[in-house]
Amino acid sequence: MSIFDELEGIHAEALQALETAASSAALDAWYTQYLGRKGAVTLQTRSIGKLSQEERPEFGKRINEIKQQLEAAYAAQSQALKAAELEAALMSDTIDITLPGRPVNPGHLHLTTQTLRQIYDIFGRMGFEVYEAPDVELETYNFDLLNIPDYHPARDMWDTFWIDQKQPAPDGRLLLRTHTSPGQMRVMRERYPEPIRVILPGKCYRYEQITARSEHQFYQVEGLAVGKHITMTDLIGTLTQFVNLFYGPGHKMRVRSSYFPFTEPSIEVDMDCILCGGAGCRVCKYTGWLEIAGAGMVHPVVLKNGGYDPDEWSGFAFGPGVERPAMMKYGISDIRLFYGNDLRFAQQF
Ligand code: DAH
């Protein structure tokens, strides 16, 4: 076989092999095999020395033609293969823009917050502003200034969380407020001699056994109105309006005489049982009535402690809880559910 024939044979073989190179790796291997530094075509150039002077230019020319042709074929094949590989990658990585997005779970306000906001709204419409007093309170504000002397049962150490103080503070001992009533004193001392109409929402703390009916942390919304001609009728009217707006129209309300150290006279406010409508059931202990708040006319001593002369000024106060009204409104049987962090409970409201 002549050197020329051998060259043409390699050429034909290379073209055929190129057609079967179906991947980038196969194509690379093909290139090395034929056009690389030690490739079959490249090695052919060395055969030039075996040819006569006359044959050499023709052989050289032919070998260059073949190289160019193979390079071009290689480039075309390489481009086709890359396009095919890109296409395949795009097909397998497809993003389906018609798929619905994953829903985000945004959460919502806790039932206590919802209830507080309903209460703010109702009293806001009656001209009450929201006033925030501190959770950590002085003993005098929580007790003494509210006319709760040392021997009052509410002062029993078992009812109060005291704050550990390394050194005795000049203003007296600190505690976690056991009710929102100390806020009354703070508003009065701040606002005198203006008339007052505020609600004081907040968390209260009691060192108590936790049961289905009582938590050691709970909310209250204190109410306080101080003015020149305020009477018990204003108090009852305000609370009647609250019951109608919070529980809906058609409810009955009654007041009973009661005792609180910071009000005189004091009353207990009841409404007809939301469950049985007054017929009597287990929830209302067969009385037909549910207790909703303590209230009364601000005690003269408390007015005086707040800076208001009781001969000139009068006022009313009330102090309902927040969780219990919500329990009545939404039929919740256990107060522990409020802060048990069980989403199955929280999501229902
Ligand atoms: N502070 C009382 C308590 O925690 C509730 C209360 C009763 C508040 C009568 C008042 C009131 O303002 O007039 O039990």
Side-chain angles (χ1 to χ4, degrees), residues 25-187:
L27 204 61
D28 285 349
W30 177 89
Y31 193 90
T32 314
Q33 195 185 338
Y34 293 102
L35 298 172
R37 231 161 24 92
K38 289 180 183 160
V41 177
T42 316
L43 289 178
Q44 283 295 304
T45 31
R46 298 191 190 163
S47 307
I48 262 184
K50 295 180 196 160
L51 292 168
S52 66
Q53 287 293 343
E54 299 80 52
E55 284 173 318
R56 283 181 191 180
E58 200 191 330
F59 187 79
K61 193 177 152 223
R62 182 63 189 140
I63 217 168
N64 278 337
E65 275 170 15
I66 288 172
K67 265 191 184 168
Q68 275 169 19
Q69 205 189 345
L70 288 179
E71 287 280 0
Y74 165 80
Q77 176 81 337
S78 164
Q79 210 177 6
L81 232 137
K82 276 199 186 116
E85 281 174 351
L86 178 66
E87 175 83 352
L90 285 175
M91 288 307 285
S92 64
D93 285 353
T94 46
I95 296 166
D96 183 353
I97 56 164
T98 67
L99 270 180
R102 296 204 180 102
V104 286
N105 191 352
H108 68 286
L109 295 178
H110 189 273
L111 177 59
T112 302
T113 310
Q114 292 182 39
T115 308
L116 279 166
R117 291 189 181 186
Q118 290 169 22
I119 296 172
Y120 300 163
D121 181 48
I122 292 169
F123 283 106
R125 285 192 247 168
M126 290 190 268
F128 285 78
E129 93 187 77
V130 174
Y131 186 102
E132 300 223 20
D135 289 37
V136 176
E137 194 44 284
L138 285 163
E139 177 183 12
T140 43
Y141 276 79
N142 196 80
F143 294 127
D144 304 81
L145 293 168
L146 291 175
N147 201 29
I148 307 176
D150 250 347
Y151 53 78
H152 193 276
R155 299 203 63 162
D156 190 305
M157 65 173 287
W158 300 108
D159 287 333
T160 306
F161 286 110
W162 294 96
I163 306 284
D164 268 344
Q165 286 163 284
K166 296 279 172 287
Q167 290 161 351
D171 296 332
R173 290 199 290 173
L174 287 171
L175 48 74
L176 292 179
R177 65 174 167 207
T178 61
H179 53 174
T180 44
S181 303
Q184 291 188 27
M185 196 53 57
R186 295 195 172 269
V187 191

Side-chain angles (χ1 to χ4, degrees), residues 74-311:
Y74 165 80
Q77 176 81 337
S78 164
Q79 210 177 6
L81 232 137
K82 276 199 186 116
E85 281 174 351
L86 178 66
E87 175 83 352
L90 285 175
M91 288 307 285
S92 64
D93 285 353
T94 46
I95 296 166
D96 183 353
I97 56 164
T98 67
L99 270 180
R102 296 204 180 102
V104 286
N105 191 352
H108 68 286
L109 295 178
H110 189 273
L111 177 59
T112 302
T113 310
Q114 292 182 39
T115 308
L116 279 166
R117 291 189 181 186
Q118 290 169 22
I119 296 172
Y120 300 163
D121 181 48
I122 292 169
F123 283 106
R125 285 192 247 168
M126 290 190 268
F128 285 78
E129 93 187 77
V130 174
Y131 186 102
E132 300 223 20
D135 289 37
V136 176
E137 194 44 284
L138 285 163
E139 177 183 12
T140 43
Y141 276 79
N142 196 80
F143 294 127
D144 304 81
L145 293 168
L146 291 175
N147 201 29
I148 307 176
D150 250 347
Y151 53 78
H152 193 276
R155 299 203 63 162
D156 190 305
M157 65 173 287
W158 300 108
D159 287 333
T160 306
F161 286 110
W162 294 96
I163 306 284
D164 268 344
Q165 286 163 284
K166 296 279 172 287
Q167 290 161 351
D171 296 332
R173 290 199 290 173
L174 287 171
L175 48 74
L176 292 179
R177 65 174 167 207
T178 61
H179 53 174
T180 44
S181 303
Q184 291 188 27
M185 196 53 57
R186 295 195 172 269
V187 191
M188 285 194 275
R189 289 189 167 185
E190 187 188 298
R191 294 286 165 89
Y192 179 81
E194 289 167 29
I196 295 168
R197 204 186 292 177
V198 294
I199 51 171
L200 304 117
K203 228 179 212 178
C204 304
Y205 309 81
R206 286 191 198 166
Y207 191 32
E208 273 185 357
Q209 184 71 34
I210 297 172
T211 67
R213 275 182 59 77
S214 61
E215 265 283 4
H216 66 290
Q217 287 182 43
F218 55 93
Y219 278 86
Q220 283 185 342
V221 179
E222 193 83 9
L224 175 70
V226 176
K228 288 283 169 75
H229 305 288
I230 291 180
T231 66
M232 180 75 94
T233 319
D234 298 315
L235 169 60
I236 294 172
T238 303
L239 292 172
T240 306
Q241 179 76 339
F242 171 72
V243 167
N244 280 326
L245 292 175
F246 186 75
Y247 293 101
H251 281 289
K252 277 186 285 183
M253 200 188 88
R254 75 172 185 187
V255 300
R256 285 176 289 121
S257 114
S258 184
Y259 170 77
F260 296 102
F262 33 87
T263 42
E264 182 59 37
S266 301
I267 57 172
E268 200 78 60
V269 186
D270 298 339
M271 65 179 280
D272 52 347
C273 177
I274 199 142
L275 220 74
C276 63
C281 69
R282 242 185 40 185
V283 170
C284 60
K285 299 193 188 102
Y286 302 99
T287 61
W289 295 98
L290 291 171
E291 209 177 286
I292 57 169
M297 300 307 291
V298 182
H299 197 289
V301 167
V302 175
L303 279 174
K304 209 181 289 166
N305 289 340
Y308 289 79
D309 179 357
D311 291 332

